[in-house]
Amino acid sequence: MVSPLATLLRAMVLVAIVALAGCASTFVLHPTTNSGTSTNGRRFVDAPRGPVEVFVERPSGSEKIRPAVAVLEFVGNAGRADWGTSLPSRFVNAAPMEIWRMNYPGYGASAGRARLSSIAPAARAVFDVMREESGDTPILVYGFSLGSTAALHLAAHREVDGVILRNPPPLGRIILT
C-alpha cells in the first residue's frame, strides 16, 4: 500500500514538472488569433517578447475632454481586447475616461506565443507607455477573471492608483497550494 505522504510527494513532483515544462500555459490559456471585430483605436506597444496589440478608447461623449481617469483593462482568458470592454457601463459613464485594453502575447495580433510567463512583462510594458502618455492622470488597473493576475502583478510592481478585480480565479487557494 502506498502511503499518503508518497502520493502527495508524487503529485507535487508532477505539478512541478508540468509548471517548469511550460505545460501549464497549454492547460490554462486558450488563445484566439483570428481577425478581431474592430481595429478602432488599435495600436502596438513594444514588449520584451514582441509587439503587443492594444486598443485605446474613450467612451462616447468624452473624446474631447481630458480624462479624469485612465483604465488599463486585462481581459479574461476567453476574451479579447478587440471585443470591447467588460467594465460595467455605470462605471464607464461615471467620469470622462480613457480605456486601454491589451491582447496578451499570442492573442489577437499580439506577437509571441501564449505563455503565462509572457503576460507580466507585456503588462508592465503597456503600463509604462500608458503612464508616460497619461502624465498625472490617475491609472486604475482592471482585471477580469485571468486578467486579475496581471492587474495584481502591476499593483505589486508599479505605482497604480487603484485596482479593480472582477471574477478573479480563486487566488487564495492558488496562493496556499
Side-chain angles (χ1 to χ4, degrees):
M1 180 169 172
V2 178
S3 75
L5 180 59
T7 303
L8 177 63
L9 288 174
R10 286 182 186 147
M12 290 172 61
V13 167
L14 179 61
V15 168
I17 290 170
V18 167
L20 294 174
C23 295
S25 294
T26 303
F27 292 124
V28 173
L29 300 178
H30 306 288
T32 57
T33 56
N34 56 326
S35 61
T37 57
S38 172
T39 57
N40 292 339
R42 183 170 104 174
R43 63 183 286 186
F44 290 88
V45 170
D46 289 329
R49 297 181 182 158
V52 175
E53 184 180 35
V54 176
F55 291 83
V56 180
E57 77 171 80
R58 291 234 179 130
S60 181
S62 67
E63 297 89 352
K64 297 178 183 176
I65 302 170
R66 178 177 158 87
V69 66
V71 178
L72 177 51
E73 178 178 353
F74 298 103
V75 299
N77 186 26
R80 289 262 298 274
D82 39 319
W83 294 345
T85 185
S86 64
L87 285 163
S89 60
R90 68 182 180 275
F91 180 81
V92 171
N93 297 324
M97 69 175 57
E98 184 171 83
I99 303 168
W100 290 44
R101 294 183 314 278
M102 177 185 102
N103 271 331
Y104 305 121
Y107 284 68
S110 289
R113 294 181 56 195
R115 292 277 174 247
L116 291 169
S117 62
S118 65
I119 294 174
R124 288 190 308 267
V126 171
F127 179 85
D128 292 345
V129 169
M130 187 179 186
R131 170 54 69 207
E132 183 178 308
E133 292 184 12
S134 67
D136 62 351
T137 301
I139 297 178
L140 304 176
V141 290
Y142 167 72
F144 179 79
S145 190
L146 175 71
S148 298
T149 59
L152 287 171
H153 174 81
L154 279 182
H157 292 89
R158 297 293 190 265
E159 288 191 31
V160 302
D161 296 292
V163 179
I164 302 168
L165 305 179
R166 184 172 177 201
N167 195 28
L171 298 171
R173 283 190 296 178
I174 291 171
I175 291 168
L176 292 175
T177 56

